[in-house]
Amino acid sequence: MPTLRMSMRKTQEVLRLHYELKLGQRQIARSCGIGQSTVHDCLKRARAAGVSWPLPPDWNQEHLEQALYGTASRETTAEKTLPDFAAIQHELQTHAHLTLLLVWQEYRETNPSGYGYSRFCELYLRWRKHLDVVLRQEHIAGEKVFVDYAGATIPIHGPDGAVRQAALFVAVLGASNYTYAEATESQQLHCWLGSHIRAFEFFGGVPKIAVPDNLKSGVDRACRYEPDLNRSYQEMAEHYRVAVIPARRRKPRDKAKVEAGVQVVQRWIVAALRHHRFFSLEQANEAIGALLEKLNQRPFRKREGCRASLFAELDRPALQPLPGERYEFAEWSTARVNIDYHVELDRHYYSVPYTLTGQQVEIRATLTSVEILRRGQRVASHRRDRRPYLASTQNEHRPKSHQRHLEWTPSRLVSWAQTVGPQTARLFARILESKKHPEMGYRSCLGLLRLGKTYTHPRLEAAAQRALATNACSYRSVKSMLDHGLDSQPLETPEPRPPLDHNNIRGASYFDPSVQ
């Protein structure tokens, strides 16, 4: 026969009424609201254990329960095997579709005399309560905003019939539960930061702390104690003077506000739009905005007011003001400077000072500009150019030798030769014209200019005149003339030869008799 047990408070009352007031079992049962058989069992156990009234001063309810039911409890425990609730908890967390009923059925297969389903559930819930104590968070007005993406998406239909799923961004203020939501193209970094900016503008101010999940767009390296924020995310936070404190991994209760906010948005916005067909993000966000206003105006069930009224009372006065300028999205990346003192970004090449060749630099790219930094100091700045496989080069980034080399143009070389003399200029022009490409004659012309420094400009001018006259237009020929002093000798002009008259020369008449 099963043992009938009741709370120790009622057990004490039964003992008091019996021993102190001398009431009968039927009266005690009516007074305590229990069965007469339960009163009888309690008094029987008290007599067997030698317990009377009043209880000893040092006894508590556990002591009394041990005295009356200790032997029976040990017998019951010995007969029934206690389930491994830790293993059960692990399985329930690992397998999404596993139910407590199935776990109990498997338990009874291995323990036929084990606990019934209701007692099994009671013991499990009691174990979990002691294991999983929840800290109730008190939210200060204007302090925190909780941000995350909803699991649900919004379908966007393209003109070609293709359907893409737009992500749903949700932000919830801690004190008032005031909610913002919007559809974005994806969960990429530019969408993530843009949603933050639009949420701040929707609130009309900035909270002190933003609590995101460990989304890759926001956190480069997730860590329980020191997570590494994405550089662009950190820069945006500094611009708006907000601290970013990511929630711990796999700890959804750290951001319970937005978890609940996501559920509310999915129930009252996504579900309400299930029959709508959107062809652009603008259309979707217009419909979301209308339902969002209704959501924030919707009265609370268990308290007065609504999200909008609490926002106006609590969060709105405590928010920080928006900065004067909107944050301009910038992507950060790292690159190593190539041997040609350029770095690559989106298949375009940007120059940096040549002294940084081989070193690693940081690139900050916006829609219109590209900044290159070394150890936090800006070393170069360019206008953003999206043409592939071309280079944006600033002349001051080149070495002096490269700058001089680029100054070698045909017209400039001829102008330099004019400072020596007209014959030298003609010689330069003849050399450049004789090449398939003018650059092939640059070295010859520069060599001739160097000869002018060694042998003086007048001698070079004389040698150039001789080279033109003898058609010896090359660096080697002019250098040989100067080495052998031919430039100082008079230039011989060959005399015209007289027509030849010899018997062996047949003449035109031999071939054409008509010519006399």
Side-chain angles (χ1 to χ4, degrees), residues 500-516:
L500 296 177
D501 185 10
H502 193 273
N503 293 331
N504 291 336
I505 298 177
R506 297 171 181 175
S509 60
Y510 178 83
F511 299 97
D512 190 357
S514 62
V515 179
Q516 299 296 329

Side-chain angles (χ1 to χ4, degrees), residues 168-448:
L168 188 61
F169 174 86
V170 179
V172 180
L173 289 174
S176 64
N177 289 326
Y178 197 62
T179 304
Y180 173 76
E182 69 169 15
T184 61
E185 180 181 355
S186 66
Q187 296 186 16
Q188 297 299 316
L189 180 61
H190 65 283
C191 296
W192 174 251
L193 298 188
S195 295
H196 279 69
I197 295 169
R198 290 183 287 273
F200 295 155
E201 293 173 351
F202 177 80
F203 297 144
V206 184
K208 297 179 178 63
I209 300 173
V211 183
D213 200 352
N214 283 273
L215 186 72
K216 191 63 178 177
S217 297
V219 179
D220 284 339
R221 183 178 65 88
C223 176
R224 180 185 179 95
Y225 304 106
E226 294 181 352
D228 288 341
L229 295 184
N230 179 283
R231 183 67 182 272
S232 299
Y233 196 18
Q234 181 67 45
E235 187 181 49
M236 186 277 295
E238 292 174 358
H239 181 83
Y240 284 95
R241 303 183 305 281
V242 59
V244 177
I245 304 178
R248 294 172 296 172
R249 292 185 62 190
R250 300 178 181 177
K251 297 292 182 181
R253 285 174 180 164
D254 284 6
K255 51 184 181 64
K257 283 283 183 179
V258 75
E259 294 288 341
V262 164
Q263 291 183 358
V264 170
V265 167
Q266 291 181 155
R267 291 171 182 171
W268 294 95
I269 294 181
V270 178
L273 298 176
R274 67 189 185 280
H275 298 307
H276 289 67
R277 191 181 181 92
F278 301 109
F279 298 94
S280 68
L281 282 175
E282 291 75 15
Q283 289 182 356
N285 282 321
E286 184 177 354
I288 291 173
L291 293 175
L292 187 63
E293 184 176 358
K294 293 182 180 179
L295 173 63
N296 285 321
Q297 296 288 344
R298 188 167 170 265
F300 292 125
R301 288 185 177 181
K302 298 182 179 180
R303 59 186 298 185
E304 295 183 357
C306 60
R307 290 175 174 81
S309 62
L310 273 186
F311 170 73
E313 178 185 353
L314 300 176
D315 281 321
R316 182 66 187 92
L319 293 176
Q320 303 177 93
L322 291 167
E325 296 182 357
R326 198 182 199 195
Y327 170 74
E328 183 181 13
F329 171 69
E331 282 187 285
W332 287 83
S333 59
T334 59
R336 192 168 295 279
V337 181
N338 201 2
I339 193 172
D340 61 356
Y341 47 89
H342 284 71
V343 294
E344 181 183 356
L345 177 66
D346 293 338
R347 296 182 298 171
H348 192 87
Y349 307 98
Y350 299 91
S351 67
V352 300
Y354 72 95
T355 55
L356 297 178
T357 297
Q359 298 187 30
Q360 187 165 309
V361 295
E362 293 179 314
I363 303 175
R364 181 182 183 272
T366 67
L367 294 176
T368 58
S369 65
V370 173
E371 292 179 285
I372 303 168
L373 300 92
R374 170 67 177 167
R375 294 179 178 174
Q377 298 294 323
R378 187 174 67 179
V379 296
S381 179
H382 296 269
R383 184 180 295 276
R384 186 77 179 263
D385 194 335
R386 301 185 183 276
R387 295 176 297 171
Y389 309 114
L390 296 179
S392 298
T393 309
Q394 296 179 9
N395 192 51
E396 58 269 22
H397 292 163
R398 298 185 174 102
K400 295 296 182 183
S401 58
H402 291 193
Q403 295 180 26
R404 289 193 296 269
H405 176 77
L406 293 176
E407 292 174 351
W408 303 344
T409 61
S411 59
R412 190 154 191 173
L413 288 172
V414 173
S415 297
W416 287 347
Q418 288 285 0
T419 61
V420 178
Q423 299 302 324
T424 304
R426 287 180 56 206
L427 176 61
F428 274 35
R430 179 79 62 85
I431 291 174
L432 295 174
E433 290 172 359
S434 65
K435 304 296 182 181
K436 292 183 178 180
H437 194 279
E439 286 192 12
M440 299 173 66
Y442 283 1
R443 292 185 180 273
S444 298
C445 294
L446 292 172
L448 293 173

Side-chain angles (χ1 to χ4, degrees), residues 33-220:
I34 56 178
Q36 186 175 347
S37 60
T38 305
V39 175
H40 175 75
D41 181 76
C42 177
L43 295 175
K44 180 181 178 180
R45 288 178 176 276
R47 286 191 293 269
V51 177
S52 62
W53 189 265
L55 298 175
D58 57 341
W59 277 33
N60 54 22
Q61 291 186 358
E62 292 182 1
H63 200 158
L64 177 61
E65 183 178 21
Q66 181 66 27
L68 298 183
Y69 301 99
T71 303
S73 299
R74 284 192 295 269
E75 291 174 355
T76 304
T77 304
E79 292 176 358
K80 298 182 180 181
T81 303
L82 195 67
D84 186 358
F85 291 127
I88 293 173
Q89 174 76 0
H90 177 72
E91 287 192 346
L92 290 173
Q93 291 177 340
T94 305
H95 304 285
H97 304 292
L98 185 63
T99 63
L100 205 57
L101 177 61
L102 179 59
V103 173
W104 172 77
Q105 290 175 349
E106 293 174 351
Y107 161 75
R108 287 300 296 266
E109 288 177 0
T110 57
N111 299 277
S113 61
Y115 293 102
Y117 179 64
S118 59
R119 181 61 175 166
F120 179 91
C121 294
E122 179 185 354
L123 292 173
Y124 170 74
L125 293 176
R126 183 184 301 175
W127 175 86
R128 196 176 67 175
K129 284 181 180 179
H130 289 286
L131 175 71
D132 196 11
V133 179
V134 178
L135 172 67
R136 182 174 180 84
Q137 301 183 30
E138 299 294 337
H139 297 285
I140 302 173
E143 182 185 43
K144 291 182 180 179
V145 60
F146 298 83
V147 292
D148 200 1
Y149 281 107
T153 56
I154 304 294
I156 306 295
H157 299 264
D160 56 350
V163 179
R164 57 189 176 94
Q165 300 296 328
L168 188 61
F169 174 86
V170 179
V172 180
L173 289 174
S176 64
N177 289 326
Y178 197 62
T179 304
Y180 173 76
E182 69 169 15
T184 61
E185 180 181 355
S186 66
Q187 296 186 16
Q188 297 299 316
L189 180 61
H190 65 283
C191 296
W192 174 251
L193 298 188
S195 295
H196 279 69
I197 295 169
R198 290 183 287 273
F200 295 155
E201 293 173 351
F202 177 80
F203 297 144
V206 184
K208 297 179 178 63
I209 300 173
V211 183
D213 200 352
N214 283 273
L215 186 72
K216 191 63 178 177
S217 297
V219 179
D220 284 339

